[in-house]
Amino acid sequence: MTSLQKISDNKLSAVVLAAGLGKRMQSSEAKVLHPVLGKPIIWRVLKAIDEISKQMANLEQIHIVVGHNAEQVEAYIKQCIEAKEFQRPIFFHKQEKQLGTGHALMSAQKALSGFQGNILVVSGDCPLLTSDSLTSFLLEHKEKQSDLTILTTKLENPSGYGRIVRSKQGQVLGIVEEKDASEKEKQINEIGTSIYCFNWKAIEKGLKELKNDNKQGEYYLTDLIAWSVKAGHKVNCLPIDDWRLVMGVNSRLELQLANKFLNEIVSQRFLLEGGVTIVDPVSTWIAPEVKIEPDTIILPGCWLMGDIQIGKSCIIGPHTSIEGRVRIGMQTKIVQSHLEDCSIGRACYIGPFAHLRMGTTLAAQVRIGNFVEIKMSTIDSLSAVSHLSYVGDTTVGKDTNIGAGTITANYDHITKIKAATVIEDGASIGSNSVLVAPVKIGKNAVVAAGTVITKDVDDESLAVRRVKQENIAGWSQRRKQAGNKNKNPDK
Ligand code: UD1
Ligand code: CA
């Protein structure tokens, strides 16, 4: 094949190997489903591959080889596909027995047979992979007109990884696995990352010739390199400087390190390029998906995981966890609280110890105080729920005050039906009130403290439901005189 043909053959498909047992994780769950900063490893790998298509429109398909815990892995990815998280179509291939990385690729061979173009092969356990690293790698493969390119990196301690064996002239000869390496080969610190690009037409034949005559009795994908060199194909390596971006997760220790490294990369980006203060990046965990605008300060002990957007000049923390899809307007302050799937307006003050659950929407300048739980509710601007309250399935107007200990009784445990509460603009709910839903409190209406509301309250009205107070003169004195004998001296 001439090099010109190779360049015009610019179709691209990707194969992700994710069938392995992941024995070193000691987990009943598939290795690739363990999360790194809030997202399963496999999601991060698929996302990096899928996003190549933003820069390289020729990415056609993504194939994933599943095996161990295949049902779990497949179900999770199908859920992501349904939620339209990936642009490119994803196809599943089952590797019935986990006989090695070469055998894993063979499991997808049928679908790839006759494919004219390049195949990017990625190990499913590299959570820090980015589309930028993959795109540079693919460009190198194209520019050098290679038949096989290996993404490599240099490690101070390369133990466990496959070593890149070169000739005296520096030509790549093959990869030798740790378990099969001689003492001399173990000294090599350039390692293969399990990320390859193959000119499929040239390399496919080699797969059929892989043997399992090694220490682990496996069909190694790495053996394709020596095969390609011998077959006279053009083999090249591209070393990547930051080894963290291509690290594989094999054990819980490496899982912890992957979390730590990704967190370091994310917080460095905010500190150096984002104008965001992170007081203590070691105790603060921020997922790469989180967006934070300048002049916001993140105090120690925060956990920000998910599709989160935080506006300018906010103060978040200390010790605040935010998860799911959350929007936070500028100048908002959140202290020691937990938020999930909610939307918070500008200049709100939340906490300490507030719990804002799914479906909470706060407009501007809302105050939510300590031990307040809010769920599926909308609260308009300038309103306050300052202490010890539960607000669920409720619409609250502007400039209202919900007193300490107010409870919206929204749930009927017998019928399992939830009902709505409406509190209109300017209303004032006295402390320790119960609003039994469905119920509406009108504009500027007042609910007296300690009232149980079961009927709607009209605009501008006062609702009060209490036993009339009675004062008994001299009671205290008579009680003292009666001593222990009689607790109520008037009886
Ligand atoms: C592999 C490479 C090694 C490289 C390292 C980089 C081989 C033989 N070794 O070793 O050279 O330095 O990655 O991280 O390729 N898998 C299957 N089916 C199998 C076996 C594995 O799908 O039968 C998948 C795994 O799920 C995993 C990937 O292939 O996602 C790599 O397998 P793993 O066992 O992690 O290989 P390493 O020992 O890390
Ligand atoms: Ca691995």
Side-chain angles (χ1 to χ4, degrees):
M1 186 185 289
T2 68
S3 48
L4 263 178
Q5 266 176 309
K6 275 184 222 161
I7 291 178
S8 59
D9 259 356
N10 66 351
K11 279 186 172 182
L12 176 66
S13 275
V15 180
V16 181
L17 310 181
L21 177 61
K23 199 169 158 192
R24 289 162 277 180
M25 292 294 285
Q26 301 182 35
S27 173
S28 56
E29 201 170 355
K31 172 170 87 171
V32 294
L33 291 183
H34 283 261
V36 169
L37 296 193
K39 283 285 186 186
I41 295 172
I42 194 69
W43 184 90
R44 299 213 168 277
V45 173
L46 289 172
K47 198 75 184 164
I49 296 173
D50 193 53
E51 283 189 350
I52 298 173
S53 56
K54 285 188 185 161
Q55 297 167 73
M56 299 181 120
N58 58 348
L59 175 68
E60 290 191 342
Q61 299 175 337
I62 302 173
H63 298 267
I64 174 157
V65 180
V66 291
H68 183 71
N69 272 335
E71 297 72 27
Q72 261 185 9
V73 178
E74 221 175 302
Y76 168 71
I77 297 169
K78 282 187 174 155
Q79 201 183 307
C80 298
I81 295 170
E82 219 153 86
K84 298 199 167 28
E85 298 204 46
F86 306 115
Q87 306 289 315
R88 288 298 185 256
I90 298 178
F91 300 92
F92 296 90
H93 306 281
K94 186 103 185 258
Q95 185 192 19
E96 294 294 348
K97 278 190 183 158
Q98 284 73 61
L99 302 178
T101 48
H103 185 261
L105 186 58
M106 287 175 202
S107 313
Q109 205 173 359
K110 228 180 179 179
L112 301 172
S113 150
F115 179 79
Q116 302 266 335
N118 291 309
I119 302 267
L120 169 70
V121 174
V122 175
S123 165
D125 64 357
C126 305
L128 273 65
L129 211 53
T130 65
S131 61
D132 284 348
S133 331
L134 289 175
T135 305
S136 320
F137 173 65
L138 291 168
L139 287 175
E140 169 85 5
H141 177 82
K142 261 188 158 183
E143 264 161 37
K144 291 250 171 83
Q145 298 170 23
S146 299
D147 289 309
L148 194 166
T149 310
I150 313 154
L151 189 62
T152 69
T153 193
K154 286 192 173 154
L155 294 181
E156 249 174 60
N157 173 13
S159 73
Y161 288 94
R163 313 295 207 281
I164 305 292
V165 181
R166 291 174 183 268
S167 68
K168 283 203 178 91
Q169 293 73 36
Q171 264 312 109
V172 183
L173 298 176
I175 298 184
V176 59
E177 288 305 298
E178 164 99 11
K179 288 195 174 130
D180 305 295
S182 65
E183 281 312 310
K184 201 170 160 218
E185 285 166 336
K186 282 186 185 159
Q187 305 302 312
I188 301 170
N189 68 350
E190 186 184 8
I191 60 108
T193 61
S194 245
I195 297 164
Y196 313 89
C197 188
F198 300 135
N199 164 18
W200 191 240
K201 214 172 166 186
I203 303 302
E204 188 182 4
K205 279 180 240 113
L207 256 193
K208 294 187 183 116
E209 293 182 28
L210 288 184
K211 297 201 172 66
N212 63 350
D213 53 354
N214 50 54
K215 286 261 166 67
Q216 303 192 78
E218 287 184 358
Y219 295 92
Y220 291 162
L221 189 53
T222 44
D223 285 350
L224 264 187
I225 287 78
W227 177 88
S228 303
V229 172
K230 277 193 198 117
H233 297 308
K234 197 165 179 187
V235 177
N236 278 303
C237 287
L238 176 71
I240 183 167
D241 290 337
D242 188 348
W243 64 271
R244 298 175 304 176
L245 300 180
V246 289
M247 74 176 285
V249 168
N250 300 306
S251 64
R252 301 234 182 207
L253 179 63
E254 283 168 345
L255 180 68
Q256 181 263 324
L257 289 172
N259 274 280
K260 175 174 166 262
F261 294 147
L262 186 54
N263 195 46
E264 279 171 9
I265 292 167
V266 171
S267 47
Q268 249 183 38
R269 197 181 68 213
F270 280 122
L271 291 166
L272 296 174
E273 299 159 26
V276 174
T277 294
I278 298 172
V279 173
D280 180 24
V282 175
S283 71
T284 304
W285 296 85
I286 307 180
E289 295 72 44
V290 176
K291 294 188 174 63
I292 307 175
E293 289 195 33
D295 284 326
T296 281
I297 300 172
I298 311 290
L299 296 173
C302 288
W303 173 261
L304 314 181
M305 293 297 140
D307 169 16
I308 298 168
Q309 290 179 15
I310 301 175
K312 275 162 71 91
S313 306
C314 291
I315 302 176
I316 310 291
H319 305 291
T320 289
S321 52
I322 305 180
E323 292 178 2
R325 186 181 190 278
V326 175
R327 301 287 177 266
I328 296 170
M330 62 196 279
Q331 294 168 338
T332 279
K333 192 167 182 209
I334 304 176
V335 186
Q336 308 236 118
S337 291
H338 176 71
L339 286 74
E340 57 200 44
D341 297 306
C342 59
S343 172
I344 312 301
R346 171 180 58 81
C348 291
Y349 192 107
I350 316 285
F353 311 113
H355 183 188
L356 303 189
R357 292 169 53 198
M358 185 185 60
T360 296
T361 302
L362 308 184
Q365 292 176 276
V366 170
R367 164 87 177 104
I368 304 296
N370 41 256
F371 308 109
V372 171
E373 176 182 343
I374 302 187
K375 186 221 75 174
M376 294 299 283
S377 295
T378 301
I379 300 185
D380 212 341
S381 54
L382 296 163
S383 290
V385 191
S386 297
H387 335 264
L388 305 149
S389 293
Y390 171 65
V391 176
D393 304 304
T394 300
T395 309
V396 180
K398 285 191 183 59
D399 200 17
T400 62
N401 187 64
I402 307 219
T406 297
I407 304 292
T408 57
N410 61 330
Y411 181 55
D412 184 330
H413 179 66
I414 294 166
T415 62
K416 313 279 182 223
I417 290 172
K418 284 182 183 142
T421 302
V422 176
I423 300 171
E424 297 201 323
D425 294 355
S428 175
I429 313 296
S431 296
N432 209 28
S433 296
V434 181
L435 312 182
V436 182
V439 76
K440 184 175 133 188
I441 313 295
K443 263 190 196 159
N444 298 322
V446 174
V447 171
T451 296
V452 176
I453 294 284
T454 52
K455 288 188 296 196
D456 288 358
V457 181
D458 292 339
D459 295 355
E460 313 285 342
S461 303
L462 166 73
V464 55
R465 189 207 297 240
R466 290 182 197 145
V467 176
K468 205 168 178 196
Q469 183 171 330
E470 189 188 351
N471 291 347
I472 303 165
W475 188 93
S476 177
Q477 220 169 23
R478 292 199 293 284
R479 170 77 183 85
K480 265 185 220 147
Q481 282 158 3
N484 284 339
K485 279 176 254 157
N486 189 350
K487 284 191 180 152
N488 188 350
D490 292 346
K491 269 194 180 164

